[in-house]
Amino acid sequence: MHIGTGIISLLFPILLAIHWSVLLLCGLFAVILVLSLKFNLLQSIHAIDRKSAGSLAYPAAVYLCFVTQAYLDDRYIFYYLPLATLAICDPMAALSGKKWPLWPYMILGAKKTLTGSIVFFISAIIVAFLVWKYAHGSNLGFQELSIITSIALMATLAEALSKDGYDNLTIPISTIAGLYILLP
């Protein structure tokens, strides 16, 4: 669901011109998710072994990224990088952490594995590299690679420090903050 919803959401800047449309779609999705929780539907989304606000945080993250890109910085990287990182890297970390639960650790009550965090970091670098190439079309020098690595590290730390599904907000927020801080 993470990846599928993320891919659909990546189309929003192309298909939707105003934030009200995105707010309506994200709001409707959130209502559907709340109703599915109440009536025990959509088990593929909600069937996890812990308490999580992740399914409701996801539409909020999509809207936050859209508004950030549309109103605070018109560069598409402010939309695509946070959402692509969330849609791809977070499930990669979860799947690898469950398949190879090596070196478990806990920070602020969040149970993670070093395997999952390493996979998140590596996939975040790859995603950032691809989005950077798409958004900027420029060659990557030392400065650009440093920015990509720093943003990947910030997102990895945000994921590692988050629990109960709030990484669906902290990953995009940390990525946006990293872009604001590090982009020229």
Side-chain angles (χ1 to χ4, degrees):
M1 283 307 294
H2 238 275
I3 295 169
T5 305
I7 290 170
I8 291 168
S9 299
L10 290 175
L11 297 172
F12 286 0
I14 298 166
L15 300 174
L16 305 170
I18 57 173
H19 79 95
W20 294 110
S21 302
V22 178
L23 180 61
L24 178 66
L25 284 173
C26 291
L28 288 173
F29 190 64
V31 167
I32 289 168
L33 291 170
V34 168
L35 290 174
S36 70
L37 275 170
K38 180 177 172 85
F39 295 108
N40 204 26
L41 303 170
L42 301 176
Q43 288 303 307
S44 64
I45 295 173
H46 303 298
I48 56 175
D49 56 353
R50 58 184 163 70
K51 181 181 87 169
S52 177
S55 60
L56 296 176
Y58 204 100
V62 170
Y63 182 68
L64 171 71
C65 291
F66 189 88
V67 169
T68 299
Q69 184 274 318
Y71 293 104
L72 301 179
D73 194 306
D74 64 348
R75 294 177 281 186
Y76 282 114
I77 196 166
F78 279 86
Y79 183 77
Y80 289 115
L81 184 55
L83 279 184
T85 302
L86 176 61
I88 296 167
C89 304
D90 194 31
M92 295 280 290
L95 292 172
S96 62
K98 285 183 182 178
K99 180 146 178 87
W100 303 290
L102 305 172
W103 308 292
Y105 66 92
M106 186 182 300
I107 300 175
L108 303 173
K111 295 177 185 175
K112 308 289 178 167
T113 66
L114 191 57
T115 306
S117 294
I118 290 169
V119 167
F120 186 100
F121 179 66
I122 292 169
S123 60
I125 289 174
I126 294 167
V127 166
F129 172 81
L130 294 172
V131 172
W132 189 282
K133 288 294 284 181
Y134 169 77
H136 291 288
S138 64
N139 291 329
L140 294 171
F142 179 76
Q143 180 182 6
E144 291 83 5
L145 291 174
S146 297
I147 292 170
I148 286 170
T149 304
S150 297
I151 291 171
L153 182 59
M154 290 174 72
T156 303
L157 291 173
E159 194 277 335
L161 295 171
S162 301
K163 68 177 196 169
D164 299 334
Y166 288 104
D167 58 343
N168 286 355
L169 283 173
T170 61
I171 292 168
I173 289 169
S174 66
T175 305
I176 290 168
L179 287 168
Y180 268 114
I181 293 166
L182 300 171
L183 273 186

